[in-house]
Amino acid sequence: MKFDYVIVGAGLTGCVVAEQLSKFENKKILIIEKRNHIAGNCYDFRNENNIIIHKYGPHIFHTNNKKVWKYLSQFTEWEKYQHRVQAHIDGMLVPVPFNINSIHKCFPMTVAREIELALIKKYRYGAKISILELRKEDDELLRMLADYVYDKVFLGYTVKQWDFRPEELDESVTARIPVFVSRDDRYFQDKYQGIPKLGYTKMIKRMINKPNIQLLLNTDFGTVKNDLQYEKLIFTGMLDEYFNFEYGKLPYRSLRFEFETVDLPPIANSKDLRKAADELLNDIYNIRQVSSEVFNDSKSLREIYNTLINISSKLTDASSESSGYTKVLIERVDELLKIASGLLNEAKMLFDDSDELLKISNEMLMKITDIRIKPSRYQPVAQVNYPNEYDYTRITEFIHFYFPYYYQNQSAIAREYPIPFNHGANEIPYYPIPKKENNELADKYKELAKELENVHFVGRLADYKYYNMDQIIERALGACRIINREQGQT
Ligand code: FAD
Ligand code: UDP
């Protein structure tokens, strides 16, 4: 088989490269992928409850790079999701990155206030300090804080995740999650953040859906390489594997995911529902009062109010019966709210010349929307980290990524267990391990790579770098510019 470009790996890197090179329509491109799907570790799918699951761990897109954001936005619309993470510390859920809110959660008020002031004085509000940097502090109070955060947030998690202590790894690893002198609870502060509206797989599929791109799934490059002819090879797999581990094996870390569909607990917010129902009832009385002055004799208005009152009391009943499961209650509420909002709209149309009535109706509609979005969840945020307890590092609840998943009686979670990577047939090298001696070994392979004129190495595995998705895209776009230059294409 003869191609202009053969790309090994249909992950984000391989697919960005394919998309860019496919712009030259006379060029024939083949992507070879050993898994049975595209998108590499960004792969996602819908489960039986229509919830989008990230098969290889939670993926949140975040970047300050406008070009990368614009590039990806050609292929997807975005769910404007902002990631929040809490860590399970001494039985409490504490915001991570550890910030001023976390300090107030973990220390008595006066001590917390002192630490907060000391941090602001030393570093300024808004500063981010890596934990290993903070541990060099002379100030007694700040050193106490550093030791606390190191012990409670970083040590256990890092040993589980990497099988190394924080100080044995490149500082950049733990610096990803710095101590943050701020009240901002978000995991990332990047300007552009989100999750592809229809998922990563759909987004990536759109990139490579081109007549001059062929895709070969379930195929290891090693098994077909002798049958292929090409001008250029773009390799996104493991750097050391390409060279038959000539200098020895580069270490990687792997993961095991335990997926579970969980029944949502009996509704925890039935109090909220009852309160909302009471408010609704109150509003209905208000409307009646206002409108009876204006439209004293209107029969249809009276009918609408009666229906609404009826609905509201049913809502109250439903919420007080809610010792049952979410499903029953939610179905009931859903049905009632649908009728209520229809009737309110009708009322608005009938009496749109009454400003007061219109205002109250609008407020009621907003309240109805409010009730609708109060969900029951397995955990309060998408990601809860377990630095100290259990063998897993984190639990992701996928339902949080998309709005509105307001009524679900089942949710989907994944527990994430770090495990060694031993080059077994079905093992996945999720993470290069950023460590001095590993980087040096990777550099030796990179010297070999430079000697190959018709092969480009790009990607998290091929560069042996702990890249986020935006970094990978920037890297892949840059590699394509070089390839095009080499071939006299612009
Ligand atoms: P991969 O996704 O690994 O793709 C490489 C592909 O090549 C794979 O499909 C593999 O099967 C295939 N392949 C390898 N060797 C061969 C071969 N010999 N023959 C055929 N095919 C081969 N980034 C973020 O920005 N935000 C996040 O929230 C985030 N969360 C993450 C969570 C986890 C648990 C992990 C592991 C990563 C996360 N990332 C995140 C990083 C993101 O996954 C990577 O940046 C991105 O997937 C890298 O893409 P890639 O194509 O280089 O690598
Ligand atoms: N980390 C930690 N405790 C936490 C969160 C992160 O010790 O609660 C450390 C850990 O070493 C982890 C690294 O910070 O591997 C980077 O965290 P990140 O959330 O970026 O990891 P990823 O999502 O890439 O697995």
Side-chain angles (χ1 to χ4, degrees), residues 9 12-13 33-35 41 58-60 221 460 467 469:
L12 189 55
T13 307
E33 169 57 56
K34 66 177 167 192
R35 299 187 205 180
N41 290 338
H59 277 70
I60 296 90
F221 173 62
R460 183 147 144 149
Y467 284 134
M469 289 181 279

Side-chain angles (χ1 to χ4, degrees), residues 298-321:
S298 163
K299 188 166 161 259
S300 54
L301 186 62
R302 213 169 314 126
E303 272 167 17
I304 290 172
Y305 295 148
N306 288 341
T307 317
L308 281 176
I309 287 167
N310 211 349
I311 286 167
S312 188
S313 60
K314 276 195 193 158
L315 189 59
T316 314
D317 288 351
S319 57
S320 53
E321 277 165 20

Side-chain angles (χ1 to χ4, degrees), residues 191-235:
K191 183 162 178 192
Y192 307 101
Q193 304 191 33
I195 309 243
K197 263 244 152 66
L198 301 175
Y200 289 95
T201 310
K202 284 252 161 66
M203 172 184 85
I204 292 173
K205 195 168 172 196
R206 284 188 72 185
M207 288 177 171
I208 60 167
N209 194 8
K210 302 276 174 64
N212 56 342
I213 299 179
Q214 268 187 54
L215 173 66
L216 197 57
L217 293 175
N218 301 307
T219 309
D220 193 307
F221 173 62
T223 63
V224 290
K225 66 180 176 192
N226 295 330
D227 307 326
L228 294 168
Q229 288 181 311
Y230 46 80
E231 293 266 310
K232 291 230 178 254
L233 180 76
I234 295 94
F235 188 83

Side-chain angles (χ1 to χ4, degrees), residues 236-252:
T236 79
M238 291 191 297
L239 180 61
D240 50 340
E241 183 186 86
Y242 184 89
F243 294 104
N244 286 323
F245 310 106
E246 194 172 323
Y247 295 136
K249 286 178 176 161
L250 279 167
Y252 300 88

Side-chain angles (χ1 to χ4, degrees), residues 157-185:
Y157 190 109
T158 303
V159 169
K160 269 194 263 187
Q161 172 72 12
W162 301 99
D163 205 18
F164 289 108
R165 295 166 66 88
E167 58 280 10
E168 293 176 301
L169 296 158
D170 279 6
E171 184 163 349
S172 60
V173 174
T174 41
R176 287 165 66 89
I177 314 299
V179 171
F180 189 19
V181 187
S182 172
R183 289 275 187 180
D184 182 347
D185 272 348

Side-chain angles (χ1 to χ4, degrees), residues 414-458:
R415 297 185 190 84
E416 199 166 323
Y417 297 82
I419 52 171
F421 175 74
N422 294 319
H423 291 86
N426 292 318
E427 290 181 28
I428 294 174
Y430 285 86
Y431 295 88
I433 303 180
K435 222 172 165 310
K436 189 163 174 282
E437 60 269 34
N438 302 348
N439 298 340
E440 285 168 0
L441 181 55
D443 285 345
K444 279 177 73 178
Y445 280 114
K446 286 178 193 173
E447 286 303 315
L448 286 183
K450 273 189 206 155
E451 289 165 22
L452 302 175
E453 275 184 10
N454 68 338
V455 188
H456 284 259
F457 294 84
V458 197

